[in-house]
C-alpha cells in the first residue's frame, strides 16, 4: 500500500510540474512565433492553460483533505547551509493552484476575442502565459527563496501587462507606479525572509510553518525570540533540532521587524493602506488583464502569503492586521461611491474586499478569509469581463459617431440591459454575489467574516468593537455603489443619445468567446458550487479543509442576527439607490462639499504622495 501511495505521489508531483510549466512553454512558443502566425498565440496559451486546469483538478482531488505531498532535491550549498528546492502540496497550495487555473481559463478564452484586433496579439498572450506561470509556481514552491523569486516574477509580469499599451502615457505611469510600490513591499518580504532564516537556519516552508512549525512554537519571552516551552508537543520540530540544526535566539524586536516586512509585502501586493493607490491606476492595462490581476492572481498573492506564514503572528500583530484591513475595506468602499470610471469602481471594490480578507486573518478567521478569497475571485472576474464588453460596445458607439466621450464613464451609459441581456444578467449575478445576498457564494463567505468579527470583539474594549461595526457599514456601502453601477449602466436610457440624438447604435454581446466565460463564471457565483446549504458556510466543503488555527466557535446569536441585519438593510440600500439613479427622486446626497470631495478625490492619498515626492526648494 505504501509503495502504491508513493507512486501516486510521484505522479502528482509530475502533474504539478507539468501544470506549472505549460504556461511557461506557451510563453516561449508565443515569443518565438513569426509575425504571420501571431493569431495562433491565443489558442496556444488557451489550450495549454486548459490542460493545466485539468491537471490541477486531478492534483486537487488527490491532495485535498488527504495527505500532504512534499518532494525536494538539493539546490545549492553555502558553507554548511543546504538549500533544497521542491514542491509543497497541501490543502492551501492545491486550492490556489486550481483557483488560478479556473480563473485564467475563461480569461484566456475571452482574450482571444477581446484582443483579436490588437497589433501585439502574440505578445499579449506571451505576457499572459508568463504571468500565469509565475503565479502557479508561487503557490506550490516549498522554500522562501523560491517563493521570493516567483513573488518578484508575478510583480514583473504584472508590470508588463499593466503597461501593455506603452504608447499611452497613462499606461506607462500606471505600470511604473505599480512597480515602485511593489518594490517597497518586496524589500519588506526580503527583510522578513533574512530574519527568519537567521533565527531558524532553514528556508523550508513546511519546516517553518507546517509539520514542524518551528515559527509557530516560537515566541518572545523576556525580550528574546526563542522556542517556546511546548517544543516537546511537536515531534517534527524535536527531530529537526536533534539532527543538528540549532536555533539562534534573536532579540524580540526582530520578530516584530519580520512582521513589519510581511505586512509591507501584503500591503503592496494586495493593495492595502497605505500602499493601495497603484491598483486603481492599474486599470490602464487591457480589461482582461484587470480581470486576472483582481481575481485570483497578483492581488490574491498577499492574502496567500498571510495564509502561508500565519503562525508567525502574535496577538498584537494580528490586531494590527485587523485594524488595517477594516480601515482599507471601509475607505475603499467610500471612494467607490462617487467614481464614474467603470473599471475604477471595480478596482476600489477589489481593494475593499481584500481589506475584508486581511481583517479576517487579523481576527483569527483564517479559513473564512481564504474562503472569501476564492468566492471573490469568481464574481470579481465576472464583473471585470462584463465591464470589458460594455466598454467595448460604448467605444464602438463613440467611434461610429465621432463622439467625444469616455467609453469607461458610466455617466455616458444606460439602458444597455435591452441590448445586452446576457451581459446584464451576468452583471446582476456578479453584483449580487459581491453584495453578499442569499443564495450566492458571497453570502457564505462574507457573512461568515462578519459573524466572526463580532465574536472576536466580544470581551474587548469599545475601541475593538468599532471593527465589526465598520465592517458592517462597509457591506451597506458596497450594496449602494454596486446598485449605482448596475442602474447607471443597464437601466434608464442610453445617455449618449442626449448628447447626439439619432446616432447609430450597433450594440452586440459578441461571439461565444465573450459569452461562454460569462456563463461559466456566473454559475460559480451561486451557492451549490461551494455548499449544499445556501445559508451556512459551516456546510461548505472549502472552509473545512483549511485549518482554523484559533479554534474559535461562532456564537449562534451572531450567526442569526448578523446575516439578517446585513441582508435586510442591503436590500433597502439597493432599492434606495435604484430610486435615486433611475430618476424617480432627487439625489439627497450633495455632489459638492468636503465629504463628497474626500470620496471623489480618493481621500487625497495620491495628492499627498505627489507632494511628498517633490523636492523642496531651499
Amino acid at each position: 500500500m505504501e509503495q502504491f501511495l508513493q507512486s501516486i505521489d510521484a505522479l502528482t508531483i509530475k502533474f504539478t510540474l507539468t501544470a506549472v510549466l505549460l504556461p511557461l512553454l506557451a510563453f516561449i512558443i508565443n515569443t518565438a512565433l513569426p509575425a504571420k502566425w501571431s493569431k495562433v498565440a491565443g489558442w496556444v496559451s488557451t489550450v495549454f492553460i486548459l490542460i493545466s486546469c485539468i491537471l490541477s483538478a486531478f492534483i486537487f482531488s488527490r491532495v485535498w483533505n488527504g495527505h500532504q505531498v512534499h518532494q525536494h532535491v538539493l539546490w545549492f550549498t553555502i558553507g554548511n547551509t543546504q538549500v533544497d528546492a521542491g514542491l509543497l502540496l497541501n490543502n492551501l497550495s492545491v486550492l490556489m493552484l486550481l483557483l488560478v487555473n479556473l480563473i485564467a481559463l475563461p480569461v484566456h478564452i475571452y482574450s482571444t476575442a477581446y484582443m483579436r484586433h490588437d497589433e501585439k496579439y502574440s505578445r499579449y498572450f506571451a505576457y499572459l502565459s508568463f504571468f500565469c506561470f509565475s503565479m502557479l509556481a508561487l503557490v506550490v514552491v516549498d522554500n522562501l527563496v523560491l517563493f521570493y523569486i516567483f513573488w518578484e516574477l508575478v510583480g514583473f509580469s504584472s508590470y508588463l501587462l499593466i503597461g501593455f499599451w506603452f504608447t499611452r502615457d497613462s499606461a506607462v505611469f500606471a505600470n511604473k507606479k505599480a512597480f515602485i510600490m511593489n518594490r517597497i513591499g518586496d524589500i519588506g518580504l526580503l527583510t522578513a525572509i533574512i530574519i527568519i532564516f537567521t533565527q531558524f537556519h532553514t528556508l523550508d516552508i513546511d519546516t517553518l510553518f507546517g509539520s514542524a512549525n518551528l515559527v509557530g512554537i516560537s515566541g518572545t519571552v523576556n525580550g528574546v525570540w526563542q522556542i517556546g516551552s511546548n517544543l516537546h508537543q511537536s515531534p517534527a520540530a524535536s527531530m529537526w533540532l536533534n539532527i543538528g540544526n540549532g536555533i539562534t535566539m534573536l532579540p524580540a524586536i526582530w520578530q516584530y521587524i519580520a512582521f513589519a516586512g510581511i505586512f509591507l509585502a501584503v500591503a503592496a501586493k494586495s493593495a492595502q493602506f497605505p500602499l493601495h493607490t497603484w491598483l486603481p491606476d492599474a486599470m490602464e492595462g487591457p480589461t482582461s488583464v484587470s480581470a486576472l490581476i483582481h481575481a485570483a492572481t497578483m492581488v490574491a498573492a498577499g492574502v496567500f502569503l498571510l495564509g502561508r506564514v500565519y503562525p508567525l503572528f502574535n496577538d498584537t500583530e494580528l490586531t494590527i492586521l485587523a485594524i488595517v484591513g477594516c480601515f482599507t475595506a471601509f475607505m475603499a468602499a467610500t471612494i467607490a461611491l462617487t467614481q464614474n470610471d467603470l473599471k475604477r469602481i471595480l478596482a476600489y471594490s477589489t481593494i475593499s474586499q481584500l481589506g475584508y480578507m486581511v481583517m479576517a486573518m487579523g481576527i483569527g478567521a483564517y479559513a473564512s478569509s481564504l474562503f472569501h478569497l476564492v468566492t471573490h475571485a469568481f464574481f470579481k472576474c465576472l464583473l471585470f469581463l462584463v465591464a470589458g464588453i460594455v466598454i467595448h460596445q460604448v467605444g464602438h458607439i463613440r467611434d461610429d459617431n465621432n463622439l467625444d466621450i469616455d467609453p469607461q464613464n458610466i455617466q455616458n451609459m444606460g439602458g444597455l440591459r435591452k441590448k445586452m441581456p446576457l451581459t446584464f444578467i451576468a452583471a446582476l449575478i456578479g453584483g449580487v454575489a459581491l453584495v453578499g445576498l442569499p443564495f450566492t457564494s458571497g453570502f457564505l463567505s462574507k457573512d461568515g467574516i462578519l459573524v466572526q468579527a463580532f465574536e472576536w470583539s466580544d470581551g474587548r474594549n469599545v475601541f475593538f468593537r468599532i471593527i465589526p461595526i465598520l465592517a458592517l457599514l462597509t457591506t451597506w456601502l458596497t450594496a449602494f455603489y454596486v446598485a449605482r453601477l448596475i442602474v447607471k449602466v443597464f437601466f434608464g436610457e442610453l445617455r449618449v443619445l442626449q448628447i447626439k440624438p439619432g446616432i447609430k447604435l450597433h450594440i452586440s454581446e459578441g461571439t461565444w468567446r465573450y459569452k461562454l466565460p460569462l456563463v461559466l463564471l456566473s454559475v460559480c457565483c451561486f451557492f451549490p458550487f461551494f455548499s449544499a446549504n445556501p445559508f451556512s458556510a459551516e456546510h461548505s466543503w472549502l472552509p473545512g479543509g483549511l485549518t482554523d488555527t484559533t479554534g474559535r466557535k461562532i456564537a449562534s446569536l451572531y450567526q442569526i442576527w448578523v446575516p439578517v441585519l446585513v441582508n435586510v438593510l442591503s436590500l433597502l440600500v439597493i432599492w434606495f439607490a435604484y430610486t435615486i439613479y433611475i430618476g424617480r427622486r432627487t439625489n439627497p446626497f450633495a455632489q459638492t462639499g468636503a465629504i463628497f470631495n474626500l470620496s471623489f478625490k480618493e481621500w487625497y492619498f495620491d495628492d499627498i504622495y505627489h507632494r511628498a515626492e517633490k523636492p523642496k526648494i531651499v
Side-chain angles (χ1 to χ4, degrees):
M1 183 65 180
E2 184 178 348
Q3 186 176 0
F4 174 74
L5 288 176
Q6 288 177 351
S7 64
I8 291 293
D9 288 351
L11 182 64
T12 303
I13 290 293
K14 290 178 182 177
F15 279 5
T16 303
L17 284 171
T18 305
V20 170
L21 293 175
L22 277 173
L24 178 62
L25 180 60
F27 163 74
I28 295 170
I29 292 173
N30 288 340
T31 302
L33 276 176
K36 63 180 179 180
W37 291 352
S38 62
K39 294 302 178 184
V40 178
W43 293 113
V44 169
S45 292
T46 303
V47 170
F48 280 25
I49 206 70
L50 173 62
I51 298 171
S52 181
C53 190
I54 294 170
L55 293 175
S56 298
F58 171 81
I59 297 161
F60 181 85
S61 68
R62 295 303 311 165
V63 176
W64 184 258
N65 284 343
H67 70 287
Q68 174 178 287
V69 179
H70 184 196
Q71 186 169 320
H72 52 88
V73 296
L74 179 62
W75 187 14
F76 61 85
T77 302
I78 298 179
N80 295 324
T81 302
Q82 293 185 342
V83 178
D84 294 331
L87 301 176
L88 173 61
L89 302 178
N90 55 20
N91 279 4
L92 177 58
S93 56
V94 297
L95 175 66
M96 289 298 298
L97 185 72
L98 181 60
L99 179 64
V100 172
N101 276 304
L102 284 176
I103 296 299
L105 179 59
V107 170
H108 276 71
I109 296 171
Y110 180 96
S111 295
T112 58
Y114 190 78
M115 299 296 292
R116 67 185 183 279
H117 297 306
D118 197 281
E119 295 178 357
K120 303 297 183 181
Y121 183 82
S122 61
R123 191 186 70 176
Y124 167 83
F125 278 99
Y127 289 172
L128 198 66
S129 293
F130 187 71
F131 185 83
C132 291
F133 158 69
S134 302
M135 189 66 197
L136 290 171
L138 176 74
V139 301
V140 297
V141 293
D142 74 335
N143 78 70
L144 292 176
V145 171
L146 280 174
F147 187 95
Y148 185 77
I149 289 171
F150 289 110
W151 179 273
E152 288 287 331
L153 288 180
V154 167
F156 173 67
S157 51
S158 66
Y159 167 83
L160 296 176
L161 286 168
I162 292 168
F164 178 75
W165 287 317
F166 57 85
T167 54
R168 303 177 183 176
D169 290 340
S170 56
V172 173
F173 175 80
N175 74 344
K176 286 182 179 178
K177 186 176 183 180
F179 191 81
I180 292 169
M181 282 203 161
N182 275 275
R183 294 298 72 74
I184 296 172
D186 295 345
I187 292 170
L189 178 59
L190 182 60
T191 302
I193 290 173
I194 292 171
I195 293 170
I196 291 170
F197 177 73
T198 302
Q199 173 74 345
F200 299 103
H201 301 294
T202 181
L203 294 161
D204 186 88
I205 292 173
D206 187 43
T207 303
L208 290 166
F209 308 104
S211 58
N213 197 15
L214 290 181
V215 172
I217 61 174
S218 69
T220 55
V221 180
N222 298 324
V224 178
W225 187 11
Q226 60 186 17
I227 292 293
S229 60
N230 61 339
L231 178 59
H232 63 279
Q233 297 175 3
S234 176
S238 299
M239 183 181 299
W240 176 259
L241 294 178
N242 289 337
I243 61 176
N245 295 284
I247 303 296
T248 302
M249 303 303 174
L250 294 176
I253 187 64
W254 289 105
Q255 196 275 340
Y256 290 101
I257 295 174
F259 162 74
I262 296 293
F263 171 77
L264 279 177
V266 172
K269 269 291 192 292
S270 290
Q272 297 296 285
F273 169 81
L275 299 178
H276 64 280
T277 60
W278 68 268
L279 191 57
D281 290 343
M283 299 301 95
E284 291 296 331
T287 306
S288 47
V289 169
S290 302
L292 195 57
I293 289 177
H294 284 248
T297 51
M298 183 175 178
V299 296
V303 179
F304 173 74
L305 172 61
L306 287 179
R308 268 291 195 232
V309 304
Y310 196 70
L312 174 68
F313 310 130
N314 59 36
D315 287 342
T316 301
E317 293 160 351
L318 289 174
T319 301
I320 292 171
L321 288 177
I323 293 170
V324 172
C326 182
F327 173 74
T328 303
F330 174 75
M331 172 201 65
T334 62
I335 294 173
L337 292 172
T338 58
Q339 301 305 304
N340 293 320
D341 186 299
L342 178 55
K343 289 172 68 176
R344 207 167 185 86
I345 295 170
L346 294 177
Y348 275 107
S349 171
T350 299
I351 295 172
S352 183
Q353 298 305 306
L354 289 166
Y356 271 116
M357 299 171 207
V358 173
M359 180 192 75
M361 285 288 183
I363 63 175
Y366 175 88
S368 295
S369 175
L370 295 170
F371 186 18
H372 194 53
L373 184 154
V374 174
T375 61
H376 173 263
F378 291 105
F379 55 73
K380 186 51 61 68
C381 184
L382 174 62
L383 288 171
F384 267 108
L385 296 189
V386 164
I389 295 173
V390 170
I391 293 167
H392 206 58
Q393 295 306 313
V394 176
H396 282 318
I397 295 173
R398 178 198 61 188
D399 297 339
D400 292 343
N401 298 278
N402 296 317
L403 299 176
D404 184 18
I405 61 170
D406 180 2
Q408 294 186 189
N409 192 325
I410 62 174
Q411 303 286 13
N412 298 322
M413 301 174 190
L416 294 178
R417 76 184 191 281
K418 298 175 183 178
K419 302 286 186 180
M420 308 166 69
L422 179 64
T423 305
F424 166 64
I425 293 171
L428 204 58
I429 292 171
V432 168
L434 175 57
V435 174
L437 294 182
F439 302 105
T440 66
S441 59
F443 172 86
L444 295 172
S445 58
K446 185 189 286 187
D447 281 18
I449 293 174
L450 292 173
V451 169
Q452 287 170 282
F454 278 96
E455 175 69 9
W456 172 83
S457 68
D458 267 357
R460 298 174 184 262
N461 61 41
V462 177
F463 174 78
F464 293 107
R465 291 183 179 271
I466 295 174
I467 290 178
I469 292 172
L470 267 185
L472 202 61
L473 180 58
T474 301
T475 64
W476 299 324
L477 296 176
T478 302
F480 189 90
Y481 70 68
V482 168
R484 173 178 178 262
L485 184 152
I486 291 177
V487 168
K488 278 188 167 290
V489 173
F490 293 101
F491 287 84
E493 298 297 330
L494 189 61
R495 277 172 283 279
V496 293
L497 289 173
Q498 299 172 2
I499 301 172
K500 193 174 181 180
I503 60 175
K504 302 176 190 175
L505 294 179
H506 298 294
I507 299 176
S508 168
E509 292 184 301
T511 65
W512 67 270
R513 289 179 288 174
Y514 283 114
K515 296 175 181 177
L516 180 61
L518 298 188
V519 173
L520 293 175
L521 292 167
S522 295
V523 169
C524 296
C525 290
F526 289 104
F527 73 91
F529 194 73
F530 296 97
S531 174
N533 186 335
F535 301 108
S536 175
E538 293 178 349
H539 292 83
S540 173
W541 57 268
L542 198 153
L546 299 169
T547 304
D548 193 334
T549 56
T550 64
R552 291 188 178 96
K553 300 296 181 182
I554 301 173
S556 59
L557 181 63
Y558 289 118
Q559 198 171 10
I560 295 171
W561 74 260
V562 170
V564 171
L565 180 63
V566 167
N567 291 286
V568 169
L569 283 181
S570 290
L571 289 171
L572 291 174
V573 168
I574 291 170
W575 173 82
F576 180 59
Y578 178 83
T579 61
I580 291 174
Y581 294 108
I582 204 63
R584 294 180 182 175
R585 59 177 294 175
T586 304
N587 191 336
F589 302 113
Q591 303 300 295
T592 58
I595 295 178
F596 175 83
N597 288 333
L598 181 67
S599 171
F600 189 71
K601 297 292 187 181
E602 303 167 5
W603 285 49
Y604 299 101
F605 282 113
D606 272 325
D607 292 343
I608 294 170
Y609 293 160
H610 290 160
R611 289 179 183 177
E613 71 184 12
K614 288 180 180 178
K616 295 182 179 179
I617 299 175
V618 180

